[in-house]
Structures are given as C-alpha cells and as structure tokens.
Amino acid sequence: MSDKLKYNPMDAAALRDPWSGYASRRGECPVAHVSETEAPFWMFFKYADIRRAYLDNKTWTARYGTSPVFQKSIGFVADGKEHTEFRNIFKKRLSAASLAKFEPQVRELAERQLDLMLAKGTYVELHDDFALPFPVAVVSLLLGIPSDDYHRLKRWSDELMDLGFGQDNAAFLKVYHDVCDFFDGFIEQREALLAKANITEPKPAHVGTILPDDWISDAVCGDFQGRRLTRPEQRIALMGLLVGGNETTTSLITNLMWRLLEKPERWEKVKQHPSGLIPIAIEESLRCDPPALGMFRTSLCPVTVAGIEIGAKQKLWLPNGAANHDPEIFTNPEEFWLERPADELARHMAFGVGAHSCPGAPLSRMEVKLVMEMFVRRMPDVKLDGPTERNVGFNFWGRKKLPLKIG
Ligand code: HEM
C-alpha cells in the first residue's frame, strides 16, 4: 500500500482534532487506507464522495455490518426491501404524529432530570447529571422498559457499541447475552399477555390494545415479510434502538452547550431569540460536531474513487464529520456559526443519508429542543466551569465532561 494512502484516525492528534486531518487529506489525497486497526478499512474525505457512497447501494452495502468487522446480515444490517420492511416496524413510532403523542412525557422526563441536576447546587456536571440519564430515560419509555437502572442500560449500550468494533469478541458476547436475557424477559411477558387473551397469531393491531404501546410489543407483533420476527431479529432490533438513541443524543446536548458557552455571546443571543435560534443552534451543532463521526459500508465490487482502485469486499468508513467540514459545501466550515444559511444547514450529514439514514433524527431533535428551552428558562446565567473532555473512540464525538456553574 503506497505511503500517500496511509492515514490513522486513531492517533492522538487525530483524536484530539479530527478536523485538521480531514482538511489536509482533502487537499492531498481524498482517499485513505487505515491499516493500524485489527480490521483495516478505507476512508473518503470529500462531501461528494461520501454522499455518493451512502447512496450507491449497488456498490456499497450495509449487509456486512456498519462496523469495521464483517457481521451477519440481520435486521437493520441488510439491504433493499428486507431492510425497509424491518425498519418500518420500528420507524413508525418515530413519526411526527407518534412523537407528538409522547412529547408531554418526554418533557416531564426532562423537567424531572433538570430538577435533580439543579438540586445539586451551583456546580454541576452536565454530562453525568443530565445529558447521560435523560436520553436513556426517553429510549426506555419508547422501548417499554424501566429506566431506574440507567447506569446498567447505559453501560450495556456503550459496551455493545465499543465491543461491536471487534476488539474482543468474548467480551462482546458476554454483554450481548446479558442484554438478550434482559430483553427476552420483556418479550416473554408480552407473549404471556397474548396467550392469556387466547391470541395465537400476534398482529400489529394488538399493539396498544392487548399489549402496551411500545417497541417491545412492536417486536412481538410486527409484520415482516408475511411472518413474525424471530427471537434473534427481535433482540437485534431492540438493541439497535437502545444503542442508537443513547450516546448520540447525550453528545448532541453536551456538544451544543459547549459551543454556546465557550463564547458567552452565543448563549446571550440564543437566550434573546430562543424560538428562532434554538433549532438553528441544534442543526449547526450537528454539522460542526456530529456525534457519530462516521459509518461503515462494504464494497460489493471493485470501484475507483479519485483515481484509487478499491477491490471487492473492502470495508469503508464514511466520515460524516469530514463531509460536514468540507469547504466546497460549507462557508468557514471550522466555525460554529449561528448565522449559517438554512440551505447549508440542510446539507449536513450528521444523521447519514439514504436508506439507512437515522430514523431517530426527529426524536433527538425534539428531545434537544425541549431541553434547550428548559435550560434557557431555568438556568439563564449558566457558565462553563472548567475544561471539557472528549469521549473515547475514534467513531464518536462528544463531551464526557462538561462542568457548569449554574448562576
Ligand atoms: C443526535 C442523535 C443521533 C445521531 C447523530 C444519530 C446518527 C445516526 C447515523 C449517522 C445513522 C446512519 C447509519 C448508517 O448509515 O449506517 C443512524 C442510524 C440509526 N439510528 Fe441514529 N442517531 C441519533 C439518534 C437516534 C435515536 C434517538 C434513535 C432511536 C431511539 C436512533 C436509532 C437509529 C437506528 C435504529 C439506526 C439504524 C437505521 C438503519 O440502518 O436503517 N438514532 N443514526
């Protein structure tokens, strides 16, 4: 492999500041090969190449998994009609109409978590005291599981995400089995309710009637290719939803507050025009600091990009972060800018693009809008109170420490 193709997104400088590396690669060679990892992969750096690959499912598939290791095709990790049908079982709970129904409960969860944080006094830790537990509580509500043990749910969610990247298969399997046992308990409760009602063929109409109105019931009653989901499909769906909705939304909250408070004049502006500026600030945070820095695909056939030949069955990391900082698309991309034009904001790729783009986007936007409105109202004089620290893992970008002074 030629030296000009080498790049390591895991070296200390790239972890500290991924953006400079992306910028220099765009100028030198917009394709790289990462071989320092257990499982090697390719990377693109230009918005146009990244977007094209996301949308070209004939060349780049999600069927072998969206991590650097090769996985079995199941559930969300599939292509075409099979993937769309599976995704639709769970996506309908994330539609605007369904979310409107949940909004009062989500608001109440946010108010309650904020009460707990503010009760701690003047000095708080935004990540631990709010940004971590709140999304866990929301995802638990939609799943239909209790969230009181959010430390365990969060630990599982983090471990599934980190260990799924292939470093330690035995450790991954241990967590995987624990989480399977946990979800199996809830699935079996729903099956017992159906049996009690003499229902031998569960149908979507039983969700919210015989069974509680939540994702566990969707997993039990969902219609997939004319049949019910198998137990492994049910488990993988529930795990995907648990993992998908946690760390990402936590990072959106901490990244956004960090950018607003590091320049107090930004916070002042948002406070003066919350209804207009909160939605813009959320989109600019997603663009400038995407919580998922990238997603993986696998090549189905040989392909040439920017003059570089890539063979079949090669893993590719599509860095949403590099796309979102491409100066061909975004004016002064390194700047967090509350005045960024709407047409630029609409082009960010924080939620991916195409068939696998994030079905949870409307939920996390709703959560974070409610939260920001509450922060403006209930802690208007908040300030940063010390240095922030980034989370671990080259694929994620968020603050795992954000100390605040409330008043
Ligand atoms: C700020 C918050 C979030 C960010 C930045 C984010 C980011 C992403 C991205 C980039 C993808 C695309 C994956 C790909 O193309 O392979 C994705 C997919 C997904 N996300 Fe999210 N996500 C967020 C919130 C959520 C929430 C709240 C949920 C649900 C509770 C969720 C569930 C999922 C699921 C199930 C997928 C897989 C979809 C598929 O393959 O069809 N995400 N997310």
Side-chain angles (χ1 to χ4, degrees), residues 119-140:
K120 291 202 155 186
T122 309
Y123 299 97
V124 301
E125 169 47 61
L126 185 72
H127 176 272
D128 297 355
D129 296 335
F130 188 93
L132 183 157
F134 170 63
V136 180
V138 175
V139 172
S140 304

Side-chain angles (χ1 to χ4, degrees), residues 54 62 66 76-77 83 87 94 139 142 215 237 240-246 248-250 252 286 290-292 294-297 320 349-353 355-361 363-365 367-368:
Y54 264 124
T66 48
F76 293 110
V77 176
H83 165 253
R87 173 181 160 106
L94 296 163
V139 172
L142 271 75
W215 270 326
L241 294 162
L242 175 71
V243 173
N246 277 332
T248 47
T249 310
T250 298
L252 175 55
L286 286 162
M295 285 292 158
F296 285 85
R297 295 291 187 266
N320 308 327
M349 269 196 245
F351 291 117
V353 62
H356 289 266
S357 70
C358 180
L363 173 63
S364 50
R365 283 181 167 124
E367 286 177 65
V368 180

Side-chain angles (χ1 to χ4, degrees), residues 263-283:
K263 297 258 168 74
E265 60 276 17
R266 290 183 187 145
W267 179 243
E268 285 307 314
K269 264 193 194 167
V270 170
K271 267 181 2 189
Q272 279 161 22
H273 305 284
S275 57
L277 283 185
I278 287 174
I280 292 175
I282 291 173
E283 295 312 308

Side-chain angles (χ1 to χ4, degrees), residues 161-216:
M161 207 161 59
D162 296 346
L163 299 170
F165 271 45
Q167 295 91 331
D168 185 346
N169 203 32
F172 175 78
L173 286 176
K174 161 89 184 73
V175 187
Y176 175 81
H177 289 303
D178 287 349
V179 183
C180 286
D181 289 347
F182 174 78
F183 280 128
D184 283 358
F186 292 100
I187 292 169
E188 281 153 20
Q189 279 172 7
R190 306 300 152 90
E191 288 171 346
L193 285 173
L194 289 169
K196 209 169 150 202
N198 289 324
I199 290 163
T200 48
E201 283 193 30
K203 295 202 166 33
H206 296 135
V207 178
T209 50
I210 309 285
L211 296 188
D213 193 8
D214 54 36
W215 270 326
I216 302 229

Side-chain angles (χ1 to χ4, degrees), residues 57-370:
N57 305 141
K58 291 212 160 57
T59 308
W60 296 106
T61 180
R63 188 194 307 164
Y64 295 107
T66 48
S67 85
V69 291
F70 283 81
Q71 292 168 318
K72 194 174 134 210
S73 176
I74 179 169
F76 293 110
V77 176
D79 287 335
K81 197 159 170 272
E82 189 186 332
H83 165 253
T84 314
E85 269 194 36
F86 185 88
R87 173 181 160 106
N88 284 347
I89 297 174
F90 302 94
K91 193 180 165 216
K92 63 181 187 318
R93 200 164 288 283
L94 296 163
S95 71
S98 170
L99 287 180
K101 199 171 67 186
F102 282 107
E103 190 181 308
Q105 283 161 283
V106 173
R107 187 185 294 278
E108 203 183 309
L109 288 171
E111 291 281 9
R112 206 182 307 151
Q113 196 59 50
L114 190 52
D115 289 344
L116 289 174
M117 182 172 90
L118 296 180
K120 291 202 155 186
T122 309
Y123 299 97
V124 301
E125 169 47 61
L126 185 72
H127 176 272
D128 297 355
D129 296 335
F130 188 93
L132 183 157
F134 170 63
V136 180
V138 175
V139 172
S140 304
L141 169 77
L142 271 75
L143 282 165
I145 59 175
S147 69
D148 4 334
D149 194 359
Y150 73 79
H151 286 294
R152 186 172 62 153
L153 293 174
K154 170 68 181 165
R155 179 170 49 79
W156 277 345
S157 165
D158 287 354
E159 286 175 357
L160 285 172
M161 207 161 59
D162 296 346
L163 299 170
F165 271 45
Q167 295 91 331
D168 185 346
N169 203 32
F172 175 78
L173 286 176
K174 161 89 184 73
V175 187
Y176 175 81
H177 289 303
D178 287 349
V179 183
C180 286
D181 289 347
F182 174 78
F183 280 128
D184 283 358
F186 292 100
I187 292 169
E188 281 153 20
Q189 279 172 7
R190 306 300 152 90
E191 288 171 346
L193 285 173
L194 289 169
K196 209 169 150 202
N198 289 324
I199 290 163
T200 48
E201 283 193 30
K203 295 202 166 33
H206 296 135
V207 178
T209 50
I210 309 285
L211 296 188
D213 193 8
D214 54 36
W215 270 326
I216 302 229
S217 302
D218 291 336
V220 171
C221 298
D223 188 2
F224 178 59
Q225 311 211 303
R227 62 168 175 85
R228 306 276 77 74
L229 296 180
T230 61
R231 185 58 68 89
E233 287 166 342
Q234 292 170 331
R235 292 163 169 170
I236 217 80
L238 299 172
M239 271 183 222
L241 294 162
L242 175 71
V243 173
N246 277 332
E247 167 98 357
T248 47
T249 310
T250 298
S251 296
L252 175 55
I253 296 170
T254 55
N255 286 341
L256 173 52
M257 283 304 278
W258 171 49
R259 292 291 183 198
L260 293 179
L261 296 177
E262 71 171 357
K263 297 258 168 74
E265 60 276 17
R266 290 183 187 145
W267 179 243
E268 285 307 314
K269 264 193 194 167
V270 170
K271 267 181 2 189
Q272 279 161 22
H273 305 284
S275 57
L277 283 185
I278 287 174
I280 292 175
I282 291 173
E283 295 312 308
E284 178 62 345
S285 173
L286 286 162
R287 182 204 66 80
C288 188
D289 297 301
L293 278 181
M295 285 292 158
F296 285 85
R297 295 291 187 266
T298 307
S299 55
L300 286 169
C301 53
V303 54
T304 302
V305 178
I308 312 290
E309 283 175 35
I310 300 174
K313 279 268 188 140
Q314 300 285 303
K315 284 279 179 176
L316 168 71
W317 190 47
L318 292 169
N320 308 327
N324 285 3
H325 283 241
D326 187 337
E328 279 186 22
I329 309 292
F330 301 101
T331 319
N332 295 333
E334 308 310 337
E335 198 180 326
F336 180 99
W337 189 29
L338 287 170
E339 289 73 27
R340 191 167 294 284
D343 61 331
E344 282 194 15
L345 286 178
R347 300 179 80 183
H348 76 68
M349 269 196 245
F351 291 117
V353 62
H356 289 266
S357 70
C358 180
L363 173 63
S364 50
R365 283 181 167 124
M366 177 184 95
E367 286 177 65
V368 180
K369 180 168 171 287
L370 292 176

